[in-house]
Amino acid sequence: MTHAITFQTAWGLIRITASEKGVTSIDLSPSDPAARQQPAEAGGAAASIVEEAQAQLLAYIEGTRREFSFPVDYSAGTPFQRKVWKAIARIPYGRVRSYQWVAMRVGGKQYARAVGMALGANPVPIVVPCHRIISHDGSLGGFSCGLPLKRRLLNLEGTLNQLRNAQ
């Protein structure tokens, strides 16, 4: 059983979906124009996980939280994607790493492009902080949620001004 909620933040709407095992997706720009504040239904592990994830994400956006403690359900990813996502999840708040740095941790520098593809498929941005991955030359690289949001996230974490070509 899954559960979802769409809610308003200072940065716009966010939609969180969870299974009984953990959060399965975070959509930072829900495309459904009818999506508005949808309260979570009472009961069930998935509903509890969604409510906790909502509270923690709101605190992160407000700048009062740096880590997440709710469970994440990575079961939708391939074994390689899960390996990449778990490596990314260990990058601390306020730090950036390159695609090549991640590739070296999941099999070798020849996997840098595959790392980029795995990040593009990341179902739980912010929690698996793919925004903290930049090009080896210090430029932003890509971001599945768009570069304006990547800049905003890096600015929140205090790392944007350290990058070259971040504008």
Side-chain angles (χ1 to χ4, degrees):
M1 180 178 177
T2 62
H3 188 79
I5 183 172
T6 302
F7 58 97
Q8 186 66 46
T9 73
W11 291 12
L13 290 174
I14 292 179
R15 182 169 181 79
I16 301 172
T17 306
S19 70
E20 301 287 322
K21 294 178 184 178
V23 172
T24 56
S25 71
I26 298 172
D27 185 348
L28 299 176
S29 56
S31 58
D32 181 3
R36 294 288 173 244
Q37 186 82 12
Q38 298 174 353
E41 300 165 11
S48 296
I49 291 168
V50 164
E51 289 173 9
E52 184 58 31
Q54 177 185 9
Q56 290 185 31
L57 281 167
L58 285 168
Y60 170 86
I61 289 169
E62 293 168 0
T64 60
R65 184 173 195 97
R66 293 180 170 205
E67 296 178 355
F68 302 99
S69 60
F70 53 83
V72 176
D73 179 353
Y74 294 105
S75 62
T78 67
F80 180 77
Q81 288 172 332
R82 290 192 301 263
K83 191 174 184 179
V84 169
W85 299 337
K86 289 177 181 180
I88 300 296
R90 292 190 293 270
I91 298 171
Y93 182 98
R95 303 287 182 149
V96 293
R97 300 289 186 261
S98 70
Y99 294 95
Q100 188 172 357
W101 182 93
V102 178
M104 294 301 292
R105 275 131 191 94
V106 298
K109 67 180 179 180
Q110 70 274 20
Y111 289 100
R113 185 173 299 275
V115 164
M117 297 297 291
L119 295 181
N122 175 9
V124 287
I126 298 179
V127 176
V128 173
C130 51
H131 63 278
R132 295 179 187 154
I133 306 303
I134 60 169
S135 296
H136 73 280
D137 67 358
S139 62
L140 281 178
F143 188 53
S144 62
C145 300
L147 291 181
L149 183 55
K150 184 172 187 168
R151 285 184 196 94
R152 192 169 194 179
L153 290 164
L154 292 173
N155 190 51
L156 173 71
E157 295 186 8
T159 54
L160 183 64
N161 61 353
Q162 300 169 19
L163 305 179
R164 289 188 291 150
N165 305 320
Q167 307 308 321

